[in-house]
Amino acid sequence: MEHPICPLCDRPIPPEARQSIHHLVPRLKGGKRGPTVLLHQICHNTIHATLSEAELARNYATVEALRAHPGLARFRAWVQGKPPAFHAPTARRPR
């Protein structure tokens, strides 16, 4: 059986990896019943450290938009070289 693939970083998400469900439109901005995606926890943490809830709802409500964000693109380039179960603390970035 193949592992799901993280749509942000394109790495497999094995069962032992920290993982999280991301609401493409934040729940607080009307996305409670909206589409979700399974991500590595580090990818999810980086999204929320990089973008506010309002920015996510307004401009980044698709995987394609998230992947196109310059800060998240730099993160993707860095994390793609890490093992699938890699996790590290995520620092908040200045907005």
Side-chain angles (χ1 to χ4, degrees), residues 29-67:
K29 299 292 181 180
K32 185 175 182 179
R33 299 195 199 296
T36 61
V37 291
L38 179 66
L39 302 170
H40 289 102
Q41 187 66 52
I42 192 171
C43 295
H44 195 197
N45 291 352
T46 302
I47 288 168
H48 287 283
T50 305
L51 297 163
S52 70
E53 300 283 302
E55 290 171 318
L56 285 167
R58 217 177 15 251
N59 302 315
Y60 297 97
T62 66
V63 171
E64 294 78 18
L66 290 169
R67 291 170 61 116

Side-chain angles (χ1 to χ4, degrees):
M1 181 173 134
E2 290 188 31
H3 303 302
I5 301 295
C6 179
L8 186 68
C9 72
D10 289 327
R11 295 179 303 142
I13 305 174
E16 68 274 11
R18 292 183 187 186
Q19 49 192 278
S20 183
I21 299 292
H22 173 68
H23 286 81
L24 290 171
V25 175
R27 289 179 293 178
L28 295 174
K29 299 292 181 180
K32 185 175 182 179
R33 299 195 199 296
T36 61
V37 291
L38 179 66
L39 302 170
H40 289 102
Q41 187 66 52
I42 192 171
C43 295
H44 195 197
N45 291 352
T46 302
I47 288 168
H48 287 283
T50 305
L51 297 163
S52 70
E53 300 283 302
E55 290 171 318
L56 285 167
R58 217 177 15 251
N59 302 315
Y60 297 97
T62 66
V63 171
E64 294 78 18
L66 290 169
R67 291 170 61 116
H69 183 278
L72 295 177
R74 282 190 301 277
F75 166 77
R76 285 182 61 231
W78 173 77
V79 83
Q80 284 176 333
K82 306 292 185 226
F86 174 79
H87 185 79
T90 304
R92 272 221 176 269
R93 291 176 172 74
R95 295 194 176 133

